Each structure stands twice: as structure tokens, then as C-alpha cells.
Amino acid sequence: MRAREVCVHAVDLDGGVTFADLPEPFCAALLDDVARWRGARPGPALVLVTPDGVREIPGEGEPSRVELRSPPPRPG
């Protein structure tokens, strides 16, 4: 939990770190957590389209399609 906070705040504080600099498994887990959190609250349904797949977040009404783009995975 602390590592997640530190990584997200490093991006928030504009310290030269972006989400593209963070490990892909970390970003995927963070996106899953945010999707779960968002799905438990009232609001429109969402369909998140990312380079590694599609995540559907339940909600009220027809889903809005939100496409998240990121740089291609880094080699190595």
C-alpha cells in the first residue's frame, strides 16, 4: 500500500516520473484497483480500453467507452 502511494505521488508531484516509468504489472494492478473502486460507486458504466485489454466497470445506464492510451511497453 505504501509503495503504491509513493509511486502515485511521485507522478502527482511532477517530479520527472510518469506512469510510463513505473513497472507495467504495478500499473495494471493500479488500474484494476481503480476500476473496482469506481465500480462500487454510483455513476455511468464505463468500458476502459487499454493496450493489454478491455475492462468493463458496471454502473448506471449505457456504458461510455473510454480509451486509455499509453506508450508501448519498454523493451527488456
Side-chain angles (χ1 to χ4, degrees), residues 27-28 30-39 44-58 63-69:
C27 290
L30 181 61
L31 185 56
D32 287 339
D33 286 347
V34 170
R36 259 191 310 279
W37 178 86
R38 173 58 185 75
L46 300 171
V47 177
L48 302 178
V49 181
T50 64
D52 63 328
V54 175
R55 291 172 177 84
E56 295 190 26
I57 302 174
S64 298
R65 192 171 184 88
V66 178
E67 190 165 336
L68 301 177
R69 297 178 186 261

Side-chain angles (χ1 to χ4, degrees), residues 5-19 22:
E5 289 292 318
V6 168
C7 289
V8 170
H9 286 305
V11 174
D12 283 347
L13 295 173
D14 198 22
V17 177
T18 68
F19 284 107
L22 302 176

